[in-house]
Amino acid sequence: MFKKILIANRGEIACRVIKTARKMGIQTVAVYSVADKDALFVDMADEAVCIGPAASKESYLVADKIIAACKETGAEAVHPGYGFLSENAEFSRRLEEEGIKFIGPKHGSIARMGDKIESKKLAIEAGVNTIPGYNEAIDGPDAAVEIARKIGYPVMIKASAGGGGKGLRVAYNDAEAHEGFSSCVNEARNSFGDDRVFIEKYVLEPRHIEIQVLGDSHGNYVYLNERDCSIQRRHQKVIEEAPSPFVDAAMRKAMGEQAVALARAVNYESAGTVEFVVSGATKEFFFLEMNTRLQVEHPVTEMITGLDLVEQMIRVAYGEKLPITQKDVKINGWSMECRINAEDPFRGFLPSTGRLVKFQPPAEIPGQVRVDTGVYEGGEISMYYDSMIAKLIVHGATREQAISRMRDALNGFVIRGISSNIPFQAALMQHPRFQSGIFDTSFIAKEYPNGFDASMVPHDDPALLISVAAFVHRRYIDRAARISGQMPGHERLVSDEWVVIRNNERYPVVATPIKGGYRVDYNGEQYNVLSDWRLGQSLFNGTCNGEPFTLQVERHRMTYQLFHWGTRADMMVMSAHAAELLALMPEKQAPDLSRFLLSPMPGLLREVAVSEGQEVKAGEKLAVIEAMKMENILKAEQDCKVKKIVATAGASLSVDEVIIEFE
């Protein structure tokens, strides 16, 4: 077996590979950019080599630097993870020439299947079902519009070298095809160094189903069942599960056999994924692409099969045979994965960067709860790389049990200092359509057309939130009453009678101390809330009338924010007299910022598309901001005239920084 391998990646996946290598007795080498010098994966590896500045194109995407690090450290093989150079055929070929093993498929397989245009032609030759489309690189936006018209809207514009939702747009008309082509080209060039784009028909009511395959150098192939990745936002996967609630045994066999036929056609050696789009109405499936690498969502397959896919990749690269045949592949229970991203679901899922003031993932339980991450409390989330900071994976005997475990785990996942999508993930787990298993890739767009507002998510047990708010407030008041040196009469602050206020609704409660907590009388019912929660803690573990629960609580001046099951409850607790006075207070009006275009996120200002004095129509492009490897186009909300350009292209912007001032 290899003595030492180098991981040509960063973050969560680098940590993931290091764990398996350590289990196999293999030493590891990390390569890192200047921005990642204090990263967790650098600390975990046996050796680490700095390969350049923060920008990926000057560090993680430079093959020469990675090969030099291999020679410097004596690494015999390279695991590329996913993203960066993982599907770069030239990188794989260079390693082969240098006598360094690439822990992945041969460069010929990558070249043929990593190219989305060529892979579709190969799929047709192999007898795999494919989607109608134009399978040649497109010259420009006008040509894209013409081709889209011939195919018929809606169409999907895709980067040939794309992946991870980058370089992909859906267009429903000429204007969207023209603009989508340009954005795809720019994202593809920046992310993959390849700006070729093609177009295919967009399947309505689609489900995204993928088949995990394994092949070795001895001609053995297996498919490891399917993963359902249909819960997506802007073509980025949000929740993945295995198996799929939509796929039956016959479909699984048909898709699996086609996936293996495609892998066999290119002599595929390693772990790979064949992605299909499936019609929810007819159950017809069509080949999308083959990812010649490890997938982000590979843990759900590991949980239901008992295989370590990273270990299998390493063993295949060393020349070993697969340890199983198709008849050995089983489905054990149900697994789900939530991608925990550094983004603000309350601000349109815009990227969120900064210091992780608190990072407390739920406790890992073998076979039930797993957390894959590359960050730690006190670390920094950078604007230079993608937004994923952790993967939360659960396993249950049934889909219902997996959902229940994921709900509990999300409730106990504490992140502070930056925003995360945890409240949104928890809300999805609560959604009846998700729980039913009847959904497609448009689920999020349809169910949350105006964005996500956790304060509007209904809660199954609002009395629990009211009782916990009363508990927390009483604990603060009781502590305050014990502080020495107070003015006479302070003891009158301690009362059992309070009013909980949420969304201008008032809920009178009586909170009485009992052993281990408080008894809360509300609406004629008694709620005995017991907990050892202490002031300042974000995580609240306790029982209510004997039923255990976990939620998160934060205090902001007079407001308590409670997070539970995807609901955010902003609550104030005060005396009845104070509540009466509060009702008389005038509402504070927010300042009018409509004359300014503000940066909605931290990022790099790639383009200012207007000039001073220009008349702009509603819907026209104003500026383009790049953050976490994604391009974001800012458009005019109404007709206006540009008065002043405040920020210029190339500027690094912070949230709410002024870009343009209007007349």
Side-chain angles (χ1 to χ4, degrees):
M1 181 45 63
F2 300 118
K3 299 291 190 298
K4 184 185 292 187
I5 66 173
L6 181 146
I7 298 103
N9 217 297
R10 63 176 300 280
E12 169 269 325
I13 185 58
C15 295
R16 163 74 185 88
V17 175
I18 290 170
K19 288 179 180 178
T20 288
R22 184 179 293 162
K23 179 182 70 175
M24 297 175 69
I26 301 171
Q27 288 191 309
T28 55
V29 179
V31 290
Y32 65 95
S33 72
V34 172
D36 278 336
K37 63 183 177 63
D38 296 320
L40 181 62
F41 75 95
V42 176
D43 183 63
M44 286 179 62
D46 297 297
E47 299 175 62
V49 179
C50 182
I51 55 171
S56 300
K57 63 184 178 182
E58 299 178 51
S59 52
Y60 296 107
L61 289 172
V62 183
D64 288 341
K65 293 184 177 181
I66 294 170
I67 291 171
C70 288
K71 293 179 178 180
E72 177 186 337
T73 59
E76 306 159 79
V78 172
H79 196 300
Y82 40 71
F84 294 137
L85 296 173
S86 62
E87 293 181 285
N88 188 301
E90 178 63 17
F91 177 58
S92 175
R93 186 188 64 78
R94 289 279 309 280
L95 288 174
E96 289 179 28
E97 289 177 350
E98 297 287 348
I100 302 167
K101 281 286 186 178
F102 181 73
I103 302 175
K106 301 297 184 186
H107 71 270
S109 301
I110 298 174
R112 300 176 74 190
M113 297 311 300
D115 185 311
K116 304 303 183 287
I117 294 174
E118 291 303 315
S119 66
K120 190 171 182 181
K121 294 178 181 178
L122 283 164
I124 293 171
E125 293 175 8
V128 180
N129 304 343
T130 57
I131 304 173
Y134 185 83
N135 301 320
E136 302 291 341
I138 299 168
D139 293 335
D142 293 335
V145 170
E146 184 179 343
I147 291 166
R149 287 176 177 174
K150 290 179 180 178
I151 295 173
Y153 291 108
V155 297
M156 185 176 288
I157 307 168
K158 300 175 70 175
S160 180
K166 297 174 181 65
L168 188 154
R169 294 290 189 279
V170 175
Y172 289 86
N173 53 53
D174 290 353
E176 291 180 359
H178 193 283
E179 184 178 273
F181 174 85
S182 299
S183 290
C184 283
V185 166
N186 291 337
E187 284 186 3
R189 185 186 301 116
N190 292 333
S191 294
F192 312 109
D194 183 345
D195 62 3
R196 290 175 302 149
V197 167
F198 69 105
I199 295 179
E200 62 188 17
K201 182 72 175 177
Y202 182 61
V203 178
L204 295 173
E205 299 184 17
R207 290 188 80 120
H208 186 121
I209 309 293
E210 58 190 33
I211 302 292
Q212 177 74 59
V213 296
L214 272 178
D216 63 23
S217 58
H218 305 276
N220 301 307
Y221 296 90
V222 294
Y223 62 89
L224 304 179
N225 307 311
E226 80 283 356
R227 296 185 288 258
D228 197 322
C229 308
S230 302
I231 302 297
Q232 303 179 4
R233 193 190 66 79
R234 291 182 63 185
H235 311 295
Q236 294 272 15
K237 298 167 187 174
V238 177
I239 297 173
E240 300 100 350
E241 57 183 308
S244 167
F246 179 75
V247 173
D248 56 33
M251 185 189 297
R252 178 177 300 118
K253 185 174 186 292
M255 294 174 76
E257 289 177 350
Q258 286 199 14
V260 165
L262 189 58
R264 193 181 296 277
V266 292
N267 299 315
Y268 196 86
E269 301 174 17
S270 192
T273 298
V274 181
E275 300 194 348
F276 294 92
V277 59
V278 185
S279 168
T282 66
K283 289 201 169 184
E284 293 177 290
F285 59 87
F286 304 98
F287 171 74
L288 273 177
E289 61 189 19
M290 183 174 188
N291 290 308
T292 55
R293 55 170 169 80
L294 194 67
Q295 292 282 95
V296 174
E297 57 273 17
H298 73 274
V300 295
T301 296
E302 294 181 328
M303 294 289 255
I304 66 165
T305 62
L307 290 170
D308 182 328
L309 292 182
V310 172
E311 179 180 349
Q312 295 307 315
M313 292 178 74
I314 294 172
R315 293 192 180 281
V316 166
Y318 194 71
E320 294 185 10
K321 291 183 178 181
L322 294 181
I324 58 171
T325 61
Q326 194 61 54
K327 64 180 178 59
D328 300 317
V329 178
K330 309 297 182 185
I331 299 178
N332 174 31
W334 212 284
S335 183
M336 288 186 176
E337 173 180 294
C338 282
R339 299 190 185 194
I340 309 303
N341 295 333
E343 57 190 20
D344 191 342
F346 310 120
R347 289 171 54 91
F349 297 91
L350 295 174
S352 180
T353 60
R355 187 75 58 191
L356 279 166
V357 177
K358 288 184 182 178
F359 183 76
Q360 301 169 13
E364 295 198 47
I365 304 173
Q368 295 184 19
V369 180
R370 166 177 163 182
V371 181
D372 286 8
T373 186
V375 302
Y376 56 89
E377 188 166 292
E380 187 174 357
I381 303 301
S382 167
M383 65 176 279
Y384 295 105
Y385 311 113
D386 64 60
S387 63
M388 192 178 69
I389 56 177
K391 298 185 309 196
L392 179 59
I393 309 107
V394 300
H395 182 269
T398 63
R399 188 170 189 266
E400 292 72 22
Q401 188 179 60
I403 290 174
S404 177
R405 282 183 176 157
M406 183 63 81
R407 286 169 56 182
D408 291 342
L410 288 166
N411 284 337
F413 204 137
V414 178
I415 295 178
R416 298 291 183 270
I418 63 164
S419 298
S420 81
N421 64 339
I422 288 176
F424 181 61
Q425 296 275 22
L428 292 175
M429 287 291 144
Q430 288 289 106
H431 201 288
R433 272 191 64 199
F434 175 76
Q435 293 182 348
S436 74
I438 303 172
F439 48 76
D440 57 43
T441 55
S442 66
F443 171 81
I444 290 176
K446 288 179 179 177
E447 297 297 327
Y448 302 93
N450 301 314
F452 175 67
D453 184 351
S455 65
M456 302 303 292
V457 175
H459 195 276
D460 291 347
D461 189 7
L464 172 66
L465 303 180
I466 292 168
S467 300
V468 173
F471 179 112
V472 171
H473 186 71
R474 267 305 304 257
R475 186 143 287 183
Y476 272 106
I477 290 298
D478 289 349
R479 196 266 309 257
R482 293 195 300 270
I483 297 175
S484 62
Q486 298 192 63
M487 296 292 288
H490 72 276
E491 64 276 356
R492 288 179 298 180
L493 291 172
V494 181
S495 170
D496 292 344
E497 297 183 7
W498 301 94
V499 176
V500 178
I501 302 173
R502 183 191 180 196
N503 296 333
N504 293 321
E505 295 288 334
R506 287 161 168 73
Y507 307 97
V509 299
V510 176
T512 308
I514 58 176
K515 185 178 180 180
Y518 296 92
R519 188 189 74 220
V520 179
D521 294 277
Y522 161 66
N523 200 26
E525 300 288 338
Q526 287 187 354
Y527 302 91
N528 293 323
V529 182
L530 307 180
S531 175
D532 59 0
W533 179 82
R534 298 191 302 275
L535 274 58
Q537 286 185 330
S538 296
L539 207 59
F540 190 110
N541 290 301
T543 63
C544 182
N545 291 343
E547 290 294 322
F549 69 91
T550 297
L551 55 73
Q552 296 182 36
V553 58
E554 294 291 334
R555 187 185 188 191
H556 298 280
R557 296 181 181 175
M558 295 180 63
T559 302
Y560 303 107
Q561 280 188 345
L562 273 59
F563 298 88
H564 190 237
W565 292 347
T567 298
R568 187 185 78 182
D570 294 344
M571 296 179 161
M572 290 192 293
V573 185
M574 55 185 64
S575 67
H577 182 58
E580 291 174 4
L581 296 176
L582 179 66
L584 302 176
M585 296 290 289
E587 283 194 32
K588 185 177 181 181
Q589 298 298 317
D592 181 11
L593 299 174
S594 61
R595 290 193 302 109
F596 301 96
L597 175 67
L598 306 178
S599 176
M601 71 196 83
L604 180 67
L605 183 59
R606 279 287 181 194
E607 176 189 356
V608 177
V610 295
S611 56
E612 293 183 359
Q614 181 177 336
E615 299 279 354
V616 180
K617 297 295 184 182
E620 286 188 29
K621 181 168 69 173
L622 296 172
V624 178
I625 298 176
E626 182 183 306
M628 290 182 166
K629 300 200 292 187
M630 295 293 284
E631 189 174 86
N632 301 272
I633 299 174
L634 308 183
K635 299 180 180 180
E637 295 182 355
Q638 60 189 30
D639 295 353
C640 54
K641 184 177 181 180
V642 177
K643 178 180 179 181
K644 184 179 180 182
I645 304 295
V646 180
T648 57
S652 292
L653 302 174
S654 56
V655 176
D656 291 336
E657 187 169 341
V658 176
I659 302 172
I660 299 171
E661 181 181 354
F662 303 104
E663 294 285 0

